[in-house]
Amino acid sequence: MSRARRSPVAIRDAAPTPAAVQQVLPFVESAEPLVKPLALTPARVQRLWFCIWLPGLPLEATRSADGAMAVIEEQQGIHRILLADAEAEAAGVMAGQSANAALALLPTLQLEQRSPPREQQVLEALANWLERFSSFVCIADRDVLLLEIAGSLRLFGGLRELREKIATGLRQHGFNASLAIAPTPLGATWLARAGKRVGFRDEHNLKRALRDLPLHSLQWPEGLCASLTGMGVTSIGDCLRLPREGFVRRFGAEHMLALDRALGHLPDPRNSWRAPERFCADHEMAEEQSDRERLLNVCHELLLSHEQFLLARQLGTQRLCFSFFHLKGSATELRLGCARADRSAARWLELLRIRFEQLVLPEPVIAIRLRSGMTQASQAQSARLNFDSGKGRPVRSYSIAELAERLVARIGEQSVHSFSMVAEHRPQYAWRPQSIFSDWASSTLSEVRRHLRRPLWMLPEPALLSADSGYPLHQGGPLTLLEGPERLETGWWDEDGISRDYYTAVNPAGMRLWVFRNRHRPSCWYLHGYFG
């Protein structure tokens, strides 16, 4: 079975924002358990931070198959268990064991190498989902997400309701998270890492809660924690009781500044994460795959993710590119195009099936990537045409755009064209063919039709009409002139100038025609096009 597909996000550095203050502060010894830095407490806007810590992320980002599973990581040249699921732990597998020892306990154990890029992609997918709860989402660490929620409380009915919505959503997505809420981002992070599922709005309550936290929740270096433990310092409160000057001289200012930021004595700016506007997602196979139906199923899953990605942004795209990666050799690419921007997974899958019949894969596929083209605002659907499939099959309906897409997929892009308007008054030069995958919104056809009456069926060359006493005839009967004249006198600068009066006319059969009379020869009438 294949691994879980990667989330539709690009991999980027997820390190937290550097410290806002990089200087050694003056230190004053005091009998108080907490000594604040001098003259560095700025006025702040009240903030409230929601921290989500995902301790099982390496396993949850990898989980895809049934049965016991564990994630391994190379440590000093030996593959050791980093995390194991409940079934594996029940068999005696635990973190720190070598992979061979774990397999001896449970031969059916599935081992997966830890993948930091995959974890980062899952984090970004969650950050994308969390943007519905807050306008400020931060990827603070490789397993920590932060939301600023002070402005979201009224919208979601209060702190309790908002917390429940986020917790329920995380469980539905398959994540076991530790949640904490505090006025400072670092304080919320430390509370979450310590497993304290609490929420504080007041900084004084936060200080009391932080004092009891053990050192391991701070994620400080092991050597530093060992040195502090050897001195009998086992909690944040113990650190705060130490003389500041001595602490900085022995352990450095960085960690004291971290304590000040967690307690709210110093600002702690964070970078807001923003979801990309273009979709890119990968799906890695557990083994090489040649079954085309299975490959199509994987592509369908990617298209469903693509549809959700665009739906959240009310966008569409006209281009998609599938890349089929092989163990040897370069990737095979398959490009699809839509006449109008769309996001429907079913529509793209139908085009993919047509093209997939013609696709030659030189080798089995080990991974598939889906990339979207430039996005644009979604547009309304046009009217649809019904086609009878025959033999008792249901009638299928397609829009003009869908019909053109299917024709392109069947006979090639070079055989099907759209057209666009050109800034030229002479009808024969006022349009030009273009690819149907060009941006239809750029065509000025609708603009022209609002201001000028132009037929959709233009003759290659104007046809001379017979006349009776100078009045035009068509199919043996006289024409009734409805609109006109519209005078076109242009092109004098080249050899194809015109001087015409155009009219909209109707013949005895009810057909609407576009006719003109040459101004230099008033007795000559010509038919130039038919209206629909």
Side-chain angles (χ1 to χ4, degrees), residues 152-215:
S152 304
L153 298 182
R154 291 183 62 186
L155 179 63
F156 290 94
L159 185 59
R160 184 184 300 273
E161 288 74 12
L162 177 58
R163 185 188 184 282
E164 185 59 30
K165 286 180 182 293
I166 295 177
T168 301
L170 290 170
R171 287 194 297 269
Q172 291 174 348
H173 282 82
F175 294 98
N176 179 28
S178 178
L179 311 177
I181 301 170
T184 66
L186 198 53
T189 301
W190 288 353
L191 288 169
R193 287 190 182 278
K196 305 290 186 180
R197 296 174 178 261
V198 294
F200 297 104
R201 296 194 186 190
D202 186 79
E203 288 188 3
H204 296 292
N205 295 330
L206 173 64
K207 294 171 186 176
R208 288 194 291 269
L210 288 179
R211 287 194 181 104
D212 298 329
L213 295 187
L215 292 179

Side-chain angles (χ1 to χ4, degrees), residues 502-517:
Y502 277 88
Y503 298 83
T504 301
V506 62
N507 70 3
M511 298 175 60
R512 296 174 67 88
L513 314 174
W514 202 40
V515 300
F516 69 86
R517 181 174 57 178

Side-chain angles (χ1 to χ4, degrees), residues 15-76:
T17 306
V21 179
Q22 297 293 341
Q23 64 184 47
V24 178
L25 306 178
F27 300 97
V28 179
E29 294 189 11
S30 171
E32 295 294 328
L34 173 63
V35 180
K36 297 182 180 181
L38 301 180
L40 281 174
T41 305
R44 299 184 305 275
V45 177
Q46 183 63 37
R47 304 290 186 187
L48 196 59
W49 294 89
F50 191 117
C51 179
I52 301 171
W53 177 46
L54 302 165
L57 182 62
L59 183 64
E60 291 161 347
T62 307
R63 165 69 69 183
S64 63
D66 297 329
M69 176 179 287
V71 175
I72 59 175
E73 188 176 42
E74 187 173 345
Q75 301 175 6
Q76 298 178 348

Side-chain angles (χ1 to χ4, degrees), residues 49-298:
W49 294 89
F50 191 117
C51 179
I52 301 171
W53 177 46
L54 302 165
L57 182 62
L59 183 64
E60 291 161 347
T62 307
R63 165 69 69 183
S64 63
D66 297 329
M69 176 179 287
V71 175
I72 59 175
E73 188 176 42
E74 187 173 345
Q75 301 175 6
Q76 298 178 348
I78 300 176
H79 286 93
R80 297 190 179 276
I81 302 297
L82 178 67
L83 283 173
D85 64 11
E87 186 177 348
E89 289 179 347
V93 178
M94 62 183 65
Q97 281 181 339
S98 67
N100 291 335
L103 288 172
L105 290 170
L106 187 60
T108 60
L109 179 66
Q110 300 180 54
L111 298 177
E112 291 285 348
Q113 183 72 34
R114 184 181 189 181
S115 175
R118 190 185 306 124
E119 295 171 28
Q120 177 69 11
Q121 289 182 331
V122 171
L123 270 183
E124 292 187 350
L126 278 177
N128 183 29
W129 172 73
L130 288 168
E131 282 189 321
R132 69 187 62 189
F133 301 107
S134 171
S135 61
F136 192 104
V137 179
C138 171
I139 299 179
D141 204 348
R142 63 183 183 180
D143 55 1
V144 174
L145 292 164
L146 286 167
L147 292 79
E148 203 291 303
I149 60 171
S152 304
L153 298 182
R154 291 183 62 186
L155 179 63
F156 290 94
L159 185 59
R160 184 184 300 273
E161 288 74 12
L162 177 58
R163 185 188 184 282
E164 185 59 30
K165 286 180 182 293
I166 295 177
T168 301
L170 290 170
R171 287 194 297 269
Q172 291 174 348
H173 282 82
F175 294 98
N176 179 28
S178 178
L179 311 177
I181 301 170
T184 66
L186 198 53
T189 301
W190 288 353
L191 288 169
R193 287 190 182 278
K196 305 290 186 180
R197 296 174 178 261
V198 294
F200 297 104
R201 296 194 186 190
D202 186 79
E203 288 188 3
H204 296 292
N205 295 330
L206 173 64
K207 294 171 186 176
R208 288 194 291 269
L210 288 179
R211 287 194 181 104
D212 298 329
L213 295 187
L215 292 179
H216 68 79
S217 60
L218 278 60
Q219 293 291 292
W220 283 357
E222 291 184 5
L224 172 61
C225 291
S227 298
L228 289 171
T229 303
M231 297 167 54
V233 178
T234 59
S235 67
I236 292 179
D238 295 337
C239 290
L240 296 175
R241 295 187 184 95
L242 296 175
R244 292 177 63 93
E245 186 175 358
F247 186 96
V248 170
R249 188 164 46 246
R250 182 163 184 177
F251 302 112
E254 175 187 356
H255 306 295
M256 183 57 70
L257 291 173
L259 291 171
D260 288 335
R261 287 194 292 273
L263 294 169
H265 301 327
L266 288 177
D268 190 2
R270 299 289 174 139
N271 286 331
S272 178
W273 183 86
R274 285 292 178 266
E277 292 302 318
R278 296 180 66 176
F279 180 93
C280 182
D282 295 343
H283 186 111
E284 295 181 356
M285 310 291 185
E287 57 185 3
E288 290 182 296
Q289 186 62 255
S290 298
D291 188 324
R292 286 180 170 257
E293 196 59 35
R294 290 188 179 182
L295 294 177
L296 278 174
N297 290 337
V298 172

